[in-house]
Coordinates of all heavy atoms in Angstrom, one line a residue:
V104 N -101.8 74.4 74.3 CA -101.9 73.5 75.4 C -101.7 72.0 74.9 O -101.3 71.2 75.7 CB -103.4 73.6 76.0 CG1 -104.4 73.0 75.2 CG2 -103.4 73.1 77.5
S105 N -101.7 71.8 73.6 CA -101.6 70.5 73.1 C -100.2 70.1 72.9 O -99.4 70.8 72.3 CB -102.5 70.4 71.8 OG -101.8 69.6 70.9
K106 N -99.9 68.8 73.3 CA -98.5 68.3 73.1 C -98.1 68.2 71.7 O -97.1 68.5 71.2 CB -98.4 67.0 73.8 CG -97.0 66.4 74.0 CD -97.0 65.3 75.0 CE -95.7 64.5 75.0 NZ -95.9 63.2 74.4
K107 N -99.1 67.7 70.9 CA -98.9 67.5 69.4 C -98.6 68.8 68.8 O -97.8 68.9 67.9 CB -100.2 66.9 68.8 CG -100.2 65.4 68.8 CD -99.5 64.8 67.6 CE -99.2 63.3 67.8 NZ -98.0 62.8 67.3
A108 N -99.4 69.8 69.2 CA -99.2 71.2 68.6 C -97.7 71.6 68.9 O -97.1 72.2 68.0 CB -100.2 72.1 69.2
I109 N -97.3 71.4 70.1 CA -95.9 71.9 70.5 C -94.9 71.2 69.7 O -93.9 71.8 69.2 CB -95.7 71.8 72.0 CG1 -96.7 72.7 72.8 CG2 -94.2 72.0 72.4 CD1 -96.5 74.2 72.5
E110 N -95.1 69.9 69.5 CA -94.1 69.1 68.7 C -94.0 69.7 67.3 O -93.0 69.9 66.7 CB -94.6 67.6 68.5 CG -94.2 66.8 69.7 CD -94.9 65.4 69.7 OE1 -95.2 64.9 68.5 OE2 -95.1 64.8 70.7
T111 N -95.2 70.1 66.7 CA -95.3 70.7 65.4 C -94.6 72.0 65.4 O -93.9 72.4 64.5 CB -96.8 70.8 65.0 OG1 -97.4 69.6 65.2 CG2 -96.9 71.2 63.5
I112 N -94.9 72.8 66.4 CA -94.4 74.2 66.5 C -92.8 74.1 66.5 O -92.2 74.8 65.8 CB -94.9 74.9 67.7 CG1 -96.4 75.2 67.6 CG2 -94.1 76.2 68.0 CD1 -97.1 75.7 68.9
D113 N -92.3 73.2 67.3 CA -90.8 73.1 67.4 C -90.2 72.7 66.1 O -89.2 73.2 65.7 CB -90.5 72.0 68.5 CG -90.7 72.6 69.9 OD1 -90.7 73.9 70.1 OD2 -90.9 71.8 70.9
K114 N -90.9 71.7 65.4 CA -90.3 71.4 64.1 C -90.4 72.6 63.1 O -89.4 72.8 62.4 CB -91.2 70.3 63.5 CG -90.9 68.9 64.0 CD -91.6 67.8 63.2 CE -91.4 66.5 63.8 NZ -92.1 65.4 63.2
N115 N -91.4 73.3 63.2 CA -91.6 74.4 62.3 C -90.7 75.6 62.6 O -90.2 76.3 61.7 CB -93.1 74.9 62.3 CG -93.9 73.9 61.5 OD1 -93.5 73.3 60.6 ND2 -95.2 73.8 61.9
I116 N -90.4 75.8 63.9 CA -89.4 76.8 64.3 C -88.1 76.5 63.6 O -87.4 77.4 63.0 CB -89.3 76.9 65.8 CG1 -90.6 77.5 66.4 CG2 -88.1 77.8 66.2 CD1 -90.6 77.5 67.9
E117 N -87.7 75.2 63.7 CA -86.4 74.8 63.2 C -86.4 74.9 61.7 O -85.5 75.5 61.1 CB -86.1 73.4 63.6 CG -84.6 73.1 63.7 CD -84.3 71.8 64.3 OE1 -84.8 71.7 65.5 OE2 -83.7 71.0 63.7
R118 N -87.4 74.4 61.1 CA -87.6 74.4 59.6 C -87.5 75.8 59.0 O -87.0 76.0 57.9 CB -89.0 73.8 59.3 CG -89.2 73.4 57.9 CD -90.7 72.9 57.9 NE -91.1 72.8 56.5 CZ -90.9 71.7 55.7 NH1 -90.3 70.7 56.3 NH2 -91.2 71.7 54.5
N119 N -87.9 76.8 59.8 CA -87.9 78.2 59.2 C -86.8 79.0 59.8 O -86.7 80.2 59.5 CB -89.3 78.9 59.5 CG -90.4 78.3 58.7 OD1 -90.7 78.8 57.6 ND2 -91.1 77.3 59.2
G120 N -85.9 78.4 60.6 CA -84.7 79.1 61.1 C -85.1 80.3 61.9 O -84.4 81.4 61.8
V121 N -86.1 80.2 62.8 CA -86.4 81.4 63.6 C -86.3 81.1 65.1 O -86.9 81.8 65.9 CB -87.9 81.8 63.3 CG1 -88.0 82.5 61.9 CG2 -88.9 80.7 63.4
S122 N -85.4 80.2 65.4 CA -85.3 79.8 66.8 C -84.7 80.9 67.7 O -84.8 80.9 68.9 CB -84.4 78.5 67.0 OG -83.3 78.7 66.3
D123 N -84.1 81.9 67.0 CA -83.6 83.1 67.8 C -84.7 84.0 68.2 O -84.6 84.8 69.1 CB -82.5 83.9 67.0 CG -83.1 84.3 65.6 OD1 -84.0 83.6 65.1 OD2 -82.7 85.3 65.1
R124 N -85.9 83.9 67.5 CA -87.0 84.9 67.8 C -88.3 84.2 68.3 O -89.1 84.8 69.0 CB -87.4 85.6 66.5 CG -86.5 86.8 66.3 CD -86.6 87.2 64.8 NE -85.8 86.2 64.0 CZ -86.0 86.0 62.7 NH1 -86.8 86.7 62.1 NH2 -85.3 85.1 62.1
V125 N -88.4 82.9 68.0 CA -89.7 82.2 68.4 C -89.4 81.1 69.4 O -88.5 80.3 69.2 CB -90.4 81.6 67.2 CG1 -91.8 81.1 67.6 CG2 -90.6 82.7 66.1
V126 N -90.1 81.1 70.5 CA -89.9 80.0 71.5 C -91.3 79.4 71.7 O -92.3 80.1 71.8 CB -89.4 80.4 72.9 CG1 -87.9 80.7 72.8 CG2 -90.1 81.6 73.4

Side-chain angles (χ1 to χ4, degrees):
V104 77
S105 140
K106 191 164 167 250
K107 274 273 168 217
I109 295 298
E110 279 171 27
T111 312
I112 292 168
D113 286 337
K114 282 190 183 178
N115 286 329
I116 290 175
E117 205 170 304
R118 192 180 168 88
N119 287 271
V121 289
S122 51
D123 55 333
R124 277 156 290 160
V125 185
V126 286

